[in-house]
Amino acid sequence: MRVDIKVLGPLEVSVAGASVVPTANKPSQLLAMLALNAGHVVTISTLLEEIWGSCPPRSAVPTLHTYVLQLRKKIQQALEAGGHRSPRDVLITRRCGYVLDVAPDDVDATRYLELSAQGHEAADREDHQEAAAKLAAALRLWRGQAFADIAAGSQLRLETTRLEEIRLSDLDLRIETDLRLGRHHQLIGELATLCARYPLHEHFYSLYMLALYRAGRQGQALEAYQRVRTLTVANLGVDPSPPLRRLQRAILRGDPAVEDPNFRPSGRRRSVA
């Protein structure tokens, strides 16, 4: 029986090819929590906090049980097309909570984190081709913001933030790796979009300036610096960071070091904890 769980975008959970995602938000929150922690028990107290916050109503526990029954009914309908498991074998009751009994690789977030770790490991050993390939494959799993169609509670909001920070770190490293492989021409459009989407993300600007300079567009690289400087002064009341200022000066004087594939604008490598 195939279970397919996607949380890196709108929530999608299918059993034997049929969707089991409820239309109502609170049952969807329950399913999202179980999907995110697939293979592990999610306690009733954790589910209550996610769905109702710090002050759940008196009826919260029986209502939660009703949501579980509704999910099992949808799973039962999906299993009627085939399979030898019962809904209680898929959504299992434990003493203190519930567990969605599926393989870890059935969840896109699990596959994403595995590919991300492999990409960082390849970068650490200077295997740029492998790093770029693994990170690109990881990032292709994203279909939008995690849990994009769920009105998330505190638990899912924290997880959404964590996954987004990892995604940005991976995006940074994938672009750095592509630059090392001499792909600056191909990166300019992507980096222009990222700078517009994240106007105070200095590292994207440093990579954009580097790609422009290596593509023979020194003037545009310096214009990009002036743009980010204007934004940081207007929004934060400070000048750009020292690494970005050093990059601007290096580009201004045509420092040959900027052309070196091993040149790093920030002087550091990001890693995923």
Side-chain angles (χ1 to χ4, degrees):
M1 180 199 66
R2 173 65 181 172
V3 179
D4 191 21
I5 299 173
K6 296 179 180 178
V7 303
L8 302 178
L11 178 65
E12 296 181 12
V13 181
S14 63
V15 176
S19 174
V20 297
V21 179
T23 55
N25 188 68
K26 284 185 168 57
S28 295
Q29 279 179 274
L30 167 63
L31 180 57
M33 287 292 292
L34 295 171
L36 181 63
N37 298 279
H40 301 279
V41 175
V42 185
T43 65
I44 289 175
S45 60
T46 297
L47 292 170
L48 295 178
E49 181 180 353
E50 166 60 28
I51 296 172
W52 285 285
S54 58
C55 298
R58 292 182 180 179
S59 61
V61 172
T63 301
L64 180 65
H65 293 161
T66 300
Y67 295 159
V68 171
L69 291 174
Q70 291 172 355
L71 283 178
R72 283 183 174 147
K73 184 177 180 179
K74 294 184 76 70
I75 294 170
Q76 175 64 53
Q77 292 170 347
L79 290 173
E80 288 174 357
H84 305 287
R85 301 176 73 185
S86 75
R88 287 183 174 274
D89 294 329
V90 179
L91 178 46
I92 301 172
T93 301
R94 296 297 189 209
R95 183 176 59 83
C96 60
Y98 299 95
V99 56
L100 195 61
D101 186 25
V102 300
D105 282 350
D106 291 338
V107 186
D108 63 350
T110 302
R111 298 195 302 274
Y112 165 68
L113 292 172
E114 289 173 354
L115 286 166
S116 170
Q118 291 167 11
H120 281 261
E121 289 167 4
D124 286 339
R125 62 176 184 270
E126 304 294 329
D127 187 342
H128 307 312
Q129 292 281 0
E130 179 73 5
K134 291 294 186 182
L135 291 168
L139 292 164
R140 282 196 296 271
L141 292 173
W142 285 78
R143 299 168 293 113
Q145 180 181 323
F147 309 105
D149 57 345
I150 303 294
S154 59
Q155 305 290 324
L156 290 178
R157 282 197 299 270
L158 284 172
E159 188 60 21
T160 298
T161 300
R162 184 182 79 91
L163 288 168
E164 177 64 14
E165 286 299 319
I166 296 173
R167 187 185 72 84
L168 288 176
S169 174
D170 288 345
L171 191 53
D172 270 352
L173 183 55
R174 197 226 81 214
I175 293 172
E176 284 187 6
T177 304
D178 280 339
L179 280 171
R180 285 191 170 200
L181 293 169
R183 298 170 180 167
H184 39 272
H185 287 284
Q186 300 96 309
L187 291 169
I188 288 173
E190 180 183 9
L191 282 164
T193 300
L194 288 170
C195 289
R197 185 174 299 164
Y198 302 97
L200 296 178
H201 194 299
E202 286 193 2
H203 194 51
F204 284 149
Y205 267 96
S206 69
L207 297 172
Y208 184 37
M209 291 164 60
L210 195 56
L212 286 168
Y213 182 76
R214 289 181 180 174
R217 295 157 68 172
Q218 181 184 29
Q220 288 176 269
L222 294 170
E223 286 175 2
Y225 174 81
Q226 291 302 325
R227 187 157 61 249
V228 70
R229 182 180 183 279
T230 299
L231 287 167
T232 55
V233 169
N235 288 277
L236 305 176
V238 295
D239 281 326
S241 63
L244 195 59
R245 297 201 302 271
R246 286 196 296 270
L247 176 61
Q248 184 258 356
R249 291 194 295 270
I251 289 174
L252 190 62
R253 65 176 181 267
D255 190 335
V258 181
E259 297 283 2
D260 186 338
N262 293 316
F263 178 83
R264 300 181 64 80
S266 61
R268 55 97 178 105
R269 168 168 295 150
R270 290 176 180 239
S271 62
V272 178

